[in-house]
């Protein structure tokens, strides 16, 4: 049965939540071993003490964790992937999974991109950020963004995950103003990140990342087509995938685009790879969906695995 493999973007995950998986799982241990060699330090030790704004450590740790889950799924579940995709940083992880980048180059991309991003955002005259919120529909978000822009405020819609979860990027001071508008409309502020993404305000960052990081890596054809969260197209060409990942910096994420791509791929079910998150609900509205989480992997021998159609796959069935 044709599967879609999807990697969420960075999900805020505290170290204690995943510590036992990282320390005991053989797939995680191998991913961490390679990461230590590439990065030159103990990733698990650094990840234990990292804040979410320690971009290199947090992204590298999240990549190691998620790819370890994917390694386990490849060996234990009867996967037949016809497409892979990912939201934001998840698309980079997916590109490593599909062989577009080696794992080593994926880690180098994280390390070198973090340097460029920190230098870029810290050098701005006006700090930029990205504000996440929910309980407002897309029409209300567009109306508030248009109002702010008409008032001369620098904000842009960045993420439309469904008709209630959104993000807006812009100048920090203007995002504080936007947050009050969200509250007045009955929305619920979630968190404010210290960098903008998925908007035209960071076009010069996209250009720097291409020339200083991405062009220096080895990009290869994907073994499984990538579902672009920029255009919804299915692509395998390495140059096109590289450009798509970069374009994600300057293009709003629209979940409707991903839904259209999943349908176009003819996938009959989906596996979400990563810590528990909202994407299982979103994808489940399109095709039957299962989630490969650290907890699911740790409980596999005792409980089996709950597949996309509610059927439990016993451990012995795929041993």
């Amino acid at each position: 049965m044709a599967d879609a493999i999807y990697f969420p973007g960075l999900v805020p995950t505290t170290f204690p939540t995943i510590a036992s998986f990282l320390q005991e799982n053989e797939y995680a241990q191998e991913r961490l071993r390679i990461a230590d060699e590439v990065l030159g330090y103990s990733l698990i030790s650094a990840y234990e003490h990292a804040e979410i704004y320690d971009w290199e450590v947090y992204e590298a740790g999240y990549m190691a964790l998620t790819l370890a889950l994917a390694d386990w799924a490849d060996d234990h579940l009867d996967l037949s992937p016809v497409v892979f995709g990912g939201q934001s940083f998840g698309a980079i992880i997916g590109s490593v999974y599909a062989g577009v980048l080696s794992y080593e180059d994926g880690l180098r991309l994280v390390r070198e991109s973090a340097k460029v991003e920190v230098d870029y955002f810290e050098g701005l005259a006006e700090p930029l950020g990205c504000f996440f919120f929910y309980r407002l529909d897309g029409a209300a978000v567009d109306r508030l963004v248009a109002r702010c822009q008409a008032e001369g405020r620098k904000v842009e819609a960045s993420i439309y995950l469904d008709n209630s979860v959104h993000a807006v990027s812009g100048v920090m001071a203007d995002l504080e103003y936007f947050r009050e508008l969200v509250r007045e409309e009955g929305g619920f502020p979630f968190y404010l990140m210290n960098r903008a993404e998925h908007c035209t305000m960071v076009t010069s960052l996209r250009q720097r990342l291409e020339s200083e990081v991405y062009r220096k890596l080895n990009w290869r054809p994907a073994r499984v087509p990538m579902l672009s969260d920029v255009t919804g197209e299915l692509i395998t060409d390495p140059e096109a995938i590289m450009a798509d990942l970069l374009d994600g910096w300057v293009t709003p994420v629209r979940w409707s685009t991903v839904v259209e791509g999943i349908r176009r791929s003819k996938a009959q079910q989906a596996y979400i790879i990563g810590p528990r998150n909202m994407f299982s609900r979103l994808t489940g509205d399109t095709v039957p969906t299962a989630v490969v989480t650290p907890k699911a992997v740790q409980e596999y021998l005792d409980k089996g695995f709950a597949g996309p159609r509610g059927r439990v796959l016993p451990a012995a069935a795929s041993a």
Side-chain angles (χ1 to χ4, degrees), residues 31-169:
R31 290 292 183 178
L32 289 169
R33 182 189 66 77
I34 296 172
D36 291 353
E37 294 177 356
V38 173
L39 299 175
Y41 57 82
S42 170
L43 179 56
I44 192 169
S45 296
Y47 192 65
E48 180 178 6
H49 303 289
E51 302 290 339
I52 192 170
Y53 290 157
D54 295 331
W55 293 112
E56 176 186 320
V57 173
Y58 193 76
E59 289 181 351
Y62 190 80
M63 177 179 284
L65 166 69
T66 309
L67 288 173
L69 293 171
D71 294 339
W72 179 90
D74 280 340
D75 284 353
H76 292 81
L77 306 178
D78 187 20
L79 301 182
S80 299
V82 295
V83 66
F84 81 91
Q87 192 271 320
S88 193
F89 183 67
I92 295 174
I93 297 174
S95 296
V96 175
Y97 170 80
V100 183
L101 288 173
S102 68
Y103 178 45
E104 291 82 356
D105 268 357
L107 291 164
R108 294 183 187 104
L109 183 149
V110 166
R111 181 183 63 199
E112 300 307 315
S113 293
K115 294 176 184 176
V116 173
E117 291 161 25
V118 169
D119 179 69
Y120 172 82
F121 286 113
E122 289 185 349
L124 294 174
E126 293 182 300
L128 296 177
C130 187
F131 169 52
F132 292 78
F133 55 97
Y134 58 99
R135 293 182 185 166
L136 288 184
D137 62 28
V141 174
D142 289 341
R143 176 166 47 78
L144 294 181
V145 168
R147 171 181 166 180
C148 286
Q149 291 176 343
E151 294 173 357
R153 299 182 185 276
K154 298 177 183 178
V155 299
E156 292 182 35
S158 291
I159 297 174
Y160 300 82
L161 279 188
D162 62 7
N163 208 31
S164 64
V165 180
H166 300 85
V168 168
S169 287

Side-chain angles (χ1 to χ4, degrees), residues 2 4-5 10 28 35 53 58 118 120 132 144 150 168 199 207 214 224 230 239-240 242 248 266 282 293 302 308 314:
I5 310 297
L10 283 171
Y53 290 157
Y58 193 76
V118 169
Y120 172 82
F132 292 78
L144 294 181
V168 168
C199 66
Q207 295 167 345
Y214 282 59
V224 180
V230 173
E239 186 78 11
M242 182 190 72
K266 306 299 183 183
L282 294 174
T293 65
D302 295 325

Side-chain angles (χ1 to χ4, degrees), residues 134-279:
Y134 58 99
R135 293 182 185 166
L136 288 184
D137 62 28
V141 174
D142 289 341
R143 176 166 47 78
L144 294 181
V145 168
R147 171 181 166 180
C148 286
Q149 291 176 343
E151 294 173 357
R153 299 182 185 276
K154 298 177 183 178
V155 299
E156 292 182 35
S158 291
I159 297 174
Y160 300 82
L161 279 188
D162 62 7
N163 208 31
S164 64
V165 180
H166 300 85
V168 168
S169 287
V171 173
M172 281 291 194
D174 292 337
L175 290 178
E176 294 290 352
Y177 176 77
F178 191 88
R179 175 157 49 188
E180 294 309 310
L181 295 183
V182 167
R183 287 196 177 103
E184 290 174 9
E185 287 283 328
F188 191 91
F190 186 31
Y191 70 97
L192 179 60
M193 188 167 66
N194 71 344
R195 62 179 185 177
E197 57 184 4
H198 311 307
C199 66
T200 61
M201 294 181 199
V202 295
T203 298
S204 57
L205 172 59
R206 183 217 181 278
Q207 295 167 345
R208 283 191 59 182
L209 287 171
E210 179 174 2
S211 62
E212 297 177 34
V213 181
Y214 282 59
R215 287 288 177 190
K216 297 181 179 180
L217 302 174
N218 181 28
W219 299 81
R220 301 172 293 197
R223 64 181 177 88
V224 180
M226 183 180 98
L227 166 55
S228 166
D229 69 347
V230 173
T231 66
E233 296 176 350
L234 306 181
I235 50 181
T236 56
D237 177 73
E239 186 78 11
I241 290 175
M242 182 190 72
D244 190 84
L245 296 176
L246 288 164
D247 287 345
W249 274 100
V250 296
T251 308
V253 171
R254 296 180 183 272
W255 186 251
S256 59
T257 301
V258 175
V259 168
E260 292 166 5
I262 291 175
R263 289 173 176 158
R264 193 178 299 115
S265 76
K266 306 299 183 183
Q268 297 167 287
Q269 56 189 21
Y271 287 85
I272 310 298
I273 313 291
R276 185 158 295 280
N277 56 78
M278 67 177 293
F279 287 90

